[in-house]
Amino acid sequence: DPGAGRLFDVDKRAAMKARLLCALAGVASLVALGRSPALGAARIVSPFAVVVAHGTADAHVSTRAVALIFRLKQTHWADGTRTQPVNLPASSALRRAFSQCILGEAPESMENYWREMYFHGVLPPHVVDSEQAVLLFVASTPGAIGYVSSCPKDAAIDVVFTVGDMPNCLRR
């Protein structure tokens, strides 16, 4: 499909690490709820695709690099373009899945981090209300990076990697 975003080369170890972190986050969620992890913890976490504006990101973007970008510890891509991470609201189930899998923490656990960063003059990533808004932001903002629950079909957006079962995001 010529209108579909291309898939970057995936760092296989980073993708496996993300799946493991998601599974562990799912097990922790089940244990916290008093349920048995044998029920299939990995299914708790919603699948998602990490997306960037076409031609923006480095060829290999690891889960660690994405975490650094969303913590505003990595502020530029290799070509010098400023990174522009975009989040969904903290109450979003997809943001929770992304935060647990990529950042290793729930969104509310990041509040103290952002308070500390604020006193150093650093504001948290942009927050938009919907996945459609994430796609619009990423497509129209140089250096933008975000996450969505389905593989975008917009040629202006590239999929960096996916976490979970996303059969629509096969290599093109």
Side-chain angles (χ1 to χ4, degrees):
D1 178 8
R6 68 180 173 86
L7 180 65
F8 281 103
D9 293 329
V10 177
D11 178 343
K12 298 289 186 195
R13 283 187 285 171
M16 286 177 24
K17 180 181 175 186
R19 283 193 291 276
L20 178 60
L21 286 173
C22 289
L24 291 174
V27 169
S29 296
L30 282 175
V31 170
L33 293 171
R35 297 195 178 125
S36 169
L39 297 175
R43 289 187 302 238
I44 288 177
V45 177
S46 303
F48 59 87
V50 175
V51 295
V52 295
H54 180 69
T56 298
D58 305 333
H60 298 281
V61 180
S62 68
T63 55
R64 182 177 186 281
V66 173
L68 290 172
I69 291 168
F70 273 83
R71 289 178 188 269
L72 299 180
K73 297 290 187 181
Q74 179 180 329
T75 58
H76 292 83
W77 295 106
D79 68 359
T81 304
R82 185 161 191 70
T83 59
Q84 299 286 337
V86 61
N87 262 326
L88 289 167
S91 60
S92 163
L94 185 55
R95 173 150 174 203
R96 177 167 297 282
F98 173 83
S99 294
Q100 288 176 328
C101 291
I102 303 300
L103 303 176
E105 300 184 49
E108 56 273 7
S109 299
M110 295 292 295
E111 289 177 15
N112 287 336
Y113 174 80
W114 289 115
R115 271 190 224 105
E116 173 80 20
M117 294 301 287
Y118 178 78
F119 288 110
H120 295 285
V122 179
L123 297 176
H126 304 283
V127 176
V128 296
D129 291 331
S130 68
E131 290 182 56
Q132 185 63 33
V134 167
L135 292 172
L136 288 171
F137 183 89
V138 168
S140 63
T141 307
I145 182 169
Y147 49 90
V148 292
S149 63
S150 61
C151 193
K153 302 295 184 209
D154 187 338
I157 297 175
D158 291 333
V159 174
V160 177
F161 61 80
T162 63
V163 173
D165 187 23
M166 296 197 69
N168 296 337
C169 286
L170 300 175
R171 182 177 302 273
R172 300 193 195 310

PDB file of all heavy atoms in Angstrom, residues 117-145:
ATOM      1  N   MET A 117      11.555  18.202  37.160  1.00  0.00           N
ATOM      2  CA  MET A 117      12.011  18.743  35.885  1.00  0.00           C
ATOM      3  C   MET A 117      11.504  20.171  35.677  1.00  0.00           C
ATOM      4  O   MET A 117      12.227  21.015  35.125  1.00  0.00           O
ATOM      5  CB  MET A 117      11.562  17.839  34.732  1.00  0.00           C
ATOM      6  CG  MET A 117      12.206  16.454  34.750  1.00  0.00           C
ATOM      7  SD  MET A 117      14.007  16.475  34.662  1.00  0.00           S
ATOM      8  CE  MET A 117      14.249  16.921  32.960  1.00  0.00           C
ATOM      9  N   TYR A 118      10.292  20.455  36.130  1.00  0.00           N
ATOM     10  CA  TYR A 118       9.716  21.790  35.991  1.00  0.00           C
ATOM     11  C   TYR A 118      10.598  22.832  36.670  1.00  0.00           C
ATOM     12  O   TYR A 118      10.805  23.928  36.142  1.00  0.00           O
ATOM     13  CB  TYR A 118       8.302  21.810  36.581  1.00  0.00           C
ATOM     14  CG  TYR A 118       7.650  23.163  36.524  1.00  0.00           C
ATOM     15  CD1 TYR A 118       7.099  23.630  35.332  1.00  0.00           C
ATOM     16  CD2 TYR A 118       7.598  23.984  37.643  1.00  0.00           C
ATOM     17  CE1 TYR A 118       6.507  24.878  35.271  1.00  0.00           C
ATOM     18  CE2 TYR A 118       7.008  25.232  37.594  1.00  0.00           C
ATOM     19  CZ  TYR A 118       6.462  25.677  36.401  1.00  0.00           C
ATOM     20  OH  TYR A 118       5.880  26.909  36.342  1.00  0.00           O
ATOM     21  N   PHE A 119      11.146  22.486  37.836  1.00  0.00           N
ATOM     22  CA  PHE A 119      12.011  23.418  38.557  1.00  0.00           C
ATOM     23  C   PHE A 119      13.359  23.612  37.873  1.00  0.00           C
ATOM     24  O   PHE A 119      14.111  24.504  38.219  1.00  0.00           O
ATOM     25  CB  PHE A 119      12.170  22.987  40.019  1.00  0.00           C
ATOM     26  CG  PHE A 119      10.928  23.222  40.803  1.00  0.00           C
ATOM     27  CD1 PHE A 119      10.165  22.162  41.252  1.00  0.00           C
ATOM     28  CD2 PHE A 119      10.488  24.512  41.069  1.00  0.00           C
ATOM     29  CE1 PHE A 119       8.997  22.380  41.971  1.00  0.00           C
ATOM     30  CE2 PHE A 119       9.326  24.745  41.773  1.00  0.00           C
ATOM     31  CZ  PHE A 119       8.577  23.684  42.229  1.00  0.00           C
ATOM     32  N   HIS A 120      13.644  22.781  36.885  1.00  0.00           N
ATOM     33  CA  HIS A 120      14.851  22.941  36.068  1.00  0.00           C
ATOM     34  C   HIS A 120      14.507  23.564  34.711  1.00  0.00           C
ATOM     35  O   HIS A 120      15.325  23.563  33.797  1.00  0.00           O
ATOM     36  CB  HIS A 120      15.549  21.594  35.859  1.00  0.00           C
ATOM     37  CG  HIS A 120      16.083  21.011  37.128  1.00  0.00           C
ATOM     38  ND1 HIS A 120      17.220  21.489  37.744  1.00  0.00           N
ATOM     39  CD2 HIS A 120      15.617  20.008  37.921  1.00  0.00           C
ATOM     40  CE1 HIS A 120      17.437  20.801  38.849  1.00  0.00           C
ATOM     41  NE2 HIS A 120      16.477  19.896  38.979  1.00  0.00           N
ATOM     42  N   GLY A 121      13.262  24.037  34.583  1.00  0.00           N
ATOM     43  CA  GLY A 121      12.837  24.693  33.351  1.00  0.00           C
ATOM     44  C   GLY A 121      12.422  23.764  32.240  1.00  0.00           C
ATOM     45  O   GLY A 121      12.332  24.174  31.085  1.00  0.00           O
ATOM     46  N   VAL A 122      12.148  22.503  32.562  1.00  0.00           N
ATOM     47  CA  VAL A 122      11.765  21.519  31.549  1.00  0.00           C
ATOM     48  C   VAL A 122      10.290  21.176  31.723  1.00  0.00           C
ATOM     49  O   VAL A 122       9.863  20.753  32.794  1.00  0.00           O
ATOM     50  CB  VAL A 122      12.619  20.237  31.671  1.00  0.00           C
ATOM     51  CG1 VAL A 122      12.193  19.205  30.635  1.00  0.00           C
ATOM     52  CG2 VAL A 122      14.097  20.576  31.527  1.00  0.00           C
ATOM     53  N   LEU A 123       9.513  21.356  30.651  1.00  0.00           N
ATOM     54  CA  LEU A 123       8.089  21.026  30.684  1.00  0.00           C
ATOM     55  C   LEU A 123       7.872  19.616  30.155  1.00  0.00           C
ATOM     56  O   LEU A 123       8.629  19.147  29.294  1.00  0.00           O
ATOM     57  CB  LEU A 123       7.299  22.021  29.842  1.00  0.00           C
ATOM     58  CG  LEU A 123       7.350  23.474  30.327  1.00  0.00           C
ATOM     59  CD1 LEU A 123       6.618  24.377  29.343  1.00  0.00           C
ATOM     60  CD2 LEU A 123       6.755  23.598  31.716  1.00  0.00           C
ATOM     61  N   PRO A 124       6.839  18.921  30.625  1.00  0.00           N
ATOM     62  CA  PRO A 124       6.574  17.560  30.137  1.00  0.00           C
ATOM     63  C   PRO A 124       6.160  17.561  28.667  1.00  0.00           C
ATOM     64  O   PRO A 124       5.864  18.623  28.099  1.00  0.00           O
ATOM     65  CB  PRO A 124       5.433  17.075  31.036  1.00  0.00           C
ATOM     66  CG  PRO A 124       4.821  18.295  31.597  1.00  0.00           C
ATOM     67  CD  PRO A 124       5.876  19.348  31.620  1.00  0.00           C
ATOM     68  N   PRO A 125       6.129  16.378  28.048  1.00  0.00           N
ATOM     69  CA  PRO A 125       5.698  16.296  26.643  1.00  0.00           C
ATOM     70  C   PRO A 125       4.295  16.865  26.440  1.00  0.00           C
ATOM     71  O   PRO A 125       3.490  16.925  27.367  1.00  0.00           O
ATOM     72  CB  PRO A 125       5.704  14.785  26.359  1.00  0.00           C
ATOM     73  CG  PRO A 125       6.683  14.230  27.328  1.00  0.00           C
ATOM     74  CD  PRO A 125       6.529  15.070  28.568  1.00  0.00           C
ATOM     75  N   HIS A 126       4.033  17.257  25.207  1.00  0.00           N
ATOM     76  CA  HIS A 126       2.701  17.733  24.837  1.00  0.00           C
ATOM     77  C   HIS A 126       1.687  16.641  25.157  1.00  0.00           C
ATOM     78  O   HIS A 126       1.998  15.448  25.035  1.00  0.00           O
ATOM     79  CB  HIS A 126       2.622  18.024  23.331  1.00  0.00           C
ATOM     80  CG  HIS A 126       3.649  18.987  22.856  1.00  0.00           C
ATOM     81  ND1 HIS A 126       3.561  20.342  23.046  1.00  0.00           N
ATOM     82  CD2 HIS A 126       4.806  18.785  22.186  1.00  0.00           C
ATOM     83  CE1 HIS A 126       4.603  20.938  22.520  1.00  0.00           C
ATOM     84  NE2 HIS A 126       5.387  20.013  21.994  1.00  0.00           N
ATOM     85  N   VAL A 127       0.468  17.035  25.510  1.00  0.00           N
ATOM     86  CA  VAL A 127      -0.627  16.087  25.733  1.00  0.00           C
ATOM     87  C   VAL A 127      -1.770  16.476  24.809  1.00  0.00           C
ATOM     88  O   VAL A 127      -2.153  17.658  24.753  1.00  0.00           O
ATOM     89  CB  VAL A 127      -1.107  16.100  27.201  1.00  0.00           C
ATOM     90  CG1 VAL A 127      -2.313  15.180  27.383  1.00  0.00           C
ATOM     91  CG2 VAL A 127       0.016  15.681  28.137  1.00  0.00           C
ATOM     92  N   VAL A 128      -2.281  15.506  24.069  1.00  0.00           N
ATOM     93  CA  VAL A 128      -3.437  15.729  23.199  1.00  0.00           C
ATOM     94  C   VAL A 128      -4.554  14.773  23.619  1.00  0.00           C
ATOM     95  O   VAL A 128      -4.308  13.786  24.304  1.00  0.00           O
ATOM     96  CB  VAL A 128      -3.079  15.553  21.704  1.00  0.00           C
ATOM     97  CG1 VAL A 128      -2.062  16.606  21.267  1.00  0.00           C
ATOM     98  CG2 VAL A 128      -2.550  14.163  21.420  1.00  0.00           C
ATOM     99  N   ASP A 129      -5.767  15.062  23.200  1.00  0.00           N
ATOM    100  CA  ASP A 129      -6.944  14.357  23.697  1.00  0.00           C
ATOM    101  C   ASP A 129      -7.254  13.013  23.049  1.00  0.00           C
ATOM    102  O   ASP A 129      -8.019  12.234  23.609  1.00  0.00           O
ATOM    103  CB  ASP A 129      -8.186  15.245  23.566  1.00  0.00           C
ATOM    104  CG  ASP A 129      -8.148  16.420  24.529  1.00  0.00           C
ATOM    105  OD1 ASP A 129      -7.536  16.268  25.606  1.00  0.00           O
ATOM    106  OD2 ASP A 129      -8.722  17.464  24.201  1.00  0.00           O
ATOM    107  N   SER A 130      -6.712  12.740  21.866  1.00  0.00           N
ATOM    108  CA  SER A 130      -7.116  11.512  21.167  1.00  0.00           C
ATOM    109  C   SER A 130      -5.978  10.971  20.310  1.00  0.00           C
ATOM    110  O   SER A 130      -4.998  11.680  20.026  1.00  0.00           O
ATOM    111  CB  SER A 130      -8.312  11.807  20.261  1.00  0.00           C
ATOM    112  OG  SER A 130      -7.917  12.650  19.190  1.00  0.00           O
ATOM    113  N   GLU A 131      -6.140   9.734  19.887  1.00  0.00           N
ATOM    114  CA  GLU A 131      -5.143   9.138  18.991  1.00  0.00           C
ATOM    115  C   GLU A 131      -5.122   9.866  17.653  1.00  0.00           C
ATOM    116  O   GLU A 131      -4.056  10.010  17.045  1.00  0.00           O
ATOM    117  CB  GLU A 131      -5.429   7.652  18.796  1.00  0.00           C
ATOM    118  CG  GLU A 131      -5.166   6.841  20.042  1.00  0.00           C
ATOM    119  CD  GLU A 131      -5.397   5.368  19.825  1.00  0.00           C
ATOM    120  OE1 GLU A 131      -4.772   4.808  18.900  1.00  0.00           O
ATOM    121  OE2 GLU A 131      -6.207   4.783  20.572  1.00  0.00           O
ATOM    122  N   GLN A 132      -6.284  10.311  17.188  1.00  0.00           N
ATOM    123  CA  GLN A 132      -6.337  11.083  15.940  1.00  0.00           C
ATOM    124  C   GLN A 132      -5.511  12.356  16.081  1.00  0.00           C
ATOM    125  O   GLN A 132      -4.775  12.735  15.176  1.00  0.00           O
ATOM    126  CB  GLN A 132      -7.793  11.420  15.580  1.00  0.00           C
ATOM    127  CG  GLN A 132      -7.930  12.107  14.242  1.00  0.00           C
ATOM    128  CD  GLN A 132      -7.468  11.249  13.075  1.00  0.00           C
ATOM    129  OE1 GLN A 132      -7.592  10.033  13.086  1.00  0.00           O
ATOM    130  NE2 GLN A 132      -6.896  11.886  12.065  1.00  0.00           N
ATOM    131  N   ALA A 133      -5.596  12.996  17.254  1.00  0.00           N
ATOM    132  CA  ALA A 133      -4.797  14.201  17.507  1.00  0.00           C
ATOM    133  C   ALA A 133      -3.307  13.871  17.554  1.00  0.00           C
ATOM    134  O   ALA A 133      -2.480  14.664  17.096  1.00  0.00           O
ATOM    135  CB  ALA A 133      -5.249  14.877  18.797  1.00  0.00           C
ATOM    136  N   VAL A 134      -2.955  12.699  18.086  1.00  0.00           N
ATOM    137  CA  VAL A 134      -1.548  12.259  18.086  1.00  0.00           C
ATOM    138  C   VAL A 134      -1.069  12.163  16.642  1.00  0.00           C
ATOM    139  O   VAL A 134      -0.001  12.676  16.286  1.00  0.00           O
ATOM    140  CB  VAL A 134      -1.363  10.902  18.806  1.00  0.00           C
ATOM    141  CG1 VAL A 134       0.028  10.314  18.523  1.00  0.00           C
ATOM    142  CG2 VAL A 134      -1.595  11.039  20.291  1.00  0.00           C
ATOM    143  N   LEU A 135      -1.857  11.507  15.793  1.00  0.00           N
ATOM    144  CA  LEU A 135      -1.461  11.338  14.388  1.00  0.00           C
ATOM    145  C   LEU A 135      -1.324  12.686  13.676  1.00  0.00           C
ATOM    146  O   LEU A 135      -0.379  12.894  12.910  1.00  0.00           O
ATOM    147  CB  LEU A 135      -2.460  10.436  13.668  1.00  0.00           C
ATOM    148  CG  LEU A 135      -2.463   8.974  14.134  1.00  0.00           C
ATOM    149  CD1 LEU A 135      -3.615   8.208  13.500  1.00  0.00           C
ATOM    150  CD2 LEU A 135      -1.131   8.310  13.850  1.00  0.00           C
ATOM    151  N   LEU A 136      -2.256  13.603  13.928  1.00  0.00           N
ATOM    152  CA  LEU A 136      -2.183  14.932  13.314  1.00  0.00           C
ATOM    153  C   LEU A 136      -0.935  15.684  13.799  1.00  0.00           C
ATOM    154  O   LEU A 136      -0.235  16.310  13.014  1.00  0.00           O
ATOM    155  CB  LEU A 136      -3.434  15.738  13.624  1.00  0.00           C
ATOM    156  CG  LEU A 136      -4.705  15.284  12.903  1.00  0.00           C
ATOM    157  CD1 LEU A 136      -5.925  16.009  13.461  1.00  0.00           C
ATOM    158  CD2 LEU A 136      -4.583  15.502  11.408  1.00  0.00           C
ATOM    159  N   PHE A 137      -0.667  15.608  15.101  1.00  0.00           N
ATOM    160  CA  PHE A 137       0.512  16.269  15.678  1.00  0.00           C
ATOM    161  C   PHE A 137       1.787  15.697  15.078  1.00  0.00           C
ATOM    162  O   PHE A 137       2.672  16.441  14.641  1.00  0.00           O
ATOM    163  CB  PHE A 137       0.504  16.101  17.202  1.00  0.00           C
ATOM    164  CG  PHE A 137       1.640  16.806  17.889  1.00  0.00           C
ATOM    165  CD1 PHE A 137       1.510  18.118  18.308  1.00  0.00           C
ATOM    166  CD2 PHE A 137       2.840  16.150  18.137  1.00  0.00           C
ATOM    167  CE1 PHE A 137       2.556  18.779  18.943  1.00  0.00           C
ATOM    168  CE2 PHE A 137       3.897  16.799  18.777  1.00  0.00           C
ATOM    169  CZ  PHE A 137       3.750  18.117  19.175  1.00  0.00           C
ATOM    170  N   VAL A 138       1.886  14.366  15.035  1.00  0.00           N
ATOM    171  CA  VAL A 138       3.092  13.709  14.517  1.00  0.00           C
ATOM    172  C   VAL A 138       3.288  14.039  13.035  1.00  0.00           C
ATOM    173  O   VAL A 138       4.398  14.360  12.614  1.00  0.00           O
ATOM    174  CB  VAL A 138       3.036  12.187  14.756  1.00  0.00           C
ATOM    175  CG1 VAL A 138       4.112  11.457  13.970  1.00  0.00           C
ATOM    176  CG2 VAL A 138       3.167  11.883  16.242  1.00  0.00           C
ATOM    177  N   ALA A 139       2.220  13.999  12.261  1.00  0.00           N
ATOM    178  CA  ALA A 139       2.325  14.260  10.822  1.00  0.00           C
ATOM    179  C   ALA A 139       2.712  15.704  10.519  1.00  0.00           C
ATOM    180  O   ALA A 139       3.373  15.973   9.516  1.00  0.00           O
ATOM    181  CB  ALA A 139       1.015  13.917  10.134  1.00  0.00           C
ATOM    182  N   SER A 140       2.337  16.635  11.395  1.00  0.00           N
ATOM    183  CA  SER A 140       2.547  18.050  11.095  1.00  0.00           C
ATOM    184  C   SER A 140       3.679  18.710  11.891  1.00  0.00           C
ATOM    185  O   SER A 140       3.960  19.886  11.693  1.00  0.00           O
ATOM    186  CB  SER A 140       1.249  18.825  11.343  1.00  0.00           C
ATOM    187  OG  SER A 140       0.885  18.758  12.708  1.00  0.00           O
ATOM    188  N   THR A 141       4.335  17.967  12.785  1.00  0.00           N
ATOM    189  CA  THR A 141       5.364  18.557  13.637  1.00  0.00           C
ATOM    190  C   THR A 141       6.712  17.886  13.386  1.00  0.00           C
ATOM    191  O   THR A 141       6.869  16.692  13.661  1.00  0.00           O
ATOM    192  CB  THR A 141       4.977  18.387  15.129  1.00  0.00           C
ATOM    193  OG1 THR A 141       3.665  18.904  15.333  1.00  0.00           O
ATOM    194  CG2 THR A 141       5.970  19.085  16.030  1.00  0.00           C
ATOM    195  N   PRO A 142       7.676  18.628  12.860  1.00  0.00           N
ATOM    196  CA  PRO A 142       9.009  18.028  12.653  1.00  0.00           C
ATOM    197  C   PRO A 142       9.572  17.488  13.970  1.00  0.00           C
ATOM    198  O   PRO A 142       9.502  18.145  15.000  1.00  0.00           O
ATOM    199  CB  PRO A 142       9.844  19.206  12.144  1.00  0.00           C
ATOM    200  CG  PRO A 142       8.841  20.159  11.562  1.00  0.00           C
ATOM    201  CD  PRO A 142       7.614  20.017  12.426  1.00  0.00           C
ATOM    202  N   GLY A 143      10.088  16.268  13.930  1.00  0.00           N
ATOM    203  CA  GLY A 143      10.694  15.655  15.103  1.00  0.00           C
ATOM    204  C   GLY A 143       9.715  15.004  16.066  1.00  0.00           C
ATOM    205  O   GLY A 143      10.115  14.489  17.100  1.00  0.00           O
ATOM    206  N   ALA A 144       8.429  15.021  15.731  1.00  0.00           N
ATOM    207  CA  ALA A 144       7.420  14.485  16.643  1.00  0.00           C
ATOM    208  C   ALA A 144       7.477  12.967  16.734  1.00  0.00           C
ATOM    209  O   ALA A 144       7.845  12.279  15.782  1.00  0.00           O
ATOM    210  CB  ALA A 144       6.019  14.916  16.212  1.00  0.00           C
ATOM    211  N   ILE A 145       7.106  12.463  17.919  1.00  0.00           N
ATOM    212  CA  ILE A 145       7.021  11.029  18.175  1.00  0.00           C
ATOM    213  C   ILE A 145       5.849  10.798  19.121  1.00  0.00           C
ATOM    214  O   ILE A 145       5.632  11.568  20.056  1.00  0.00           O
ATOM    215  CB  ILE A 145       8.346  10.465  18.750  1.00  0.00           C
ATOM    216  CG1 ILE A 145       8.253   8.950  18.966  1.00  0.00           C
ATOM    217  CG2 ILE A 145       8.755  11.201  20.008  1.00  0.00           C
ATOM    218  CD1 ILE A 145       9.604   8.290  19.281  1.00  0.00           C
TER     219      ILE A 145
END
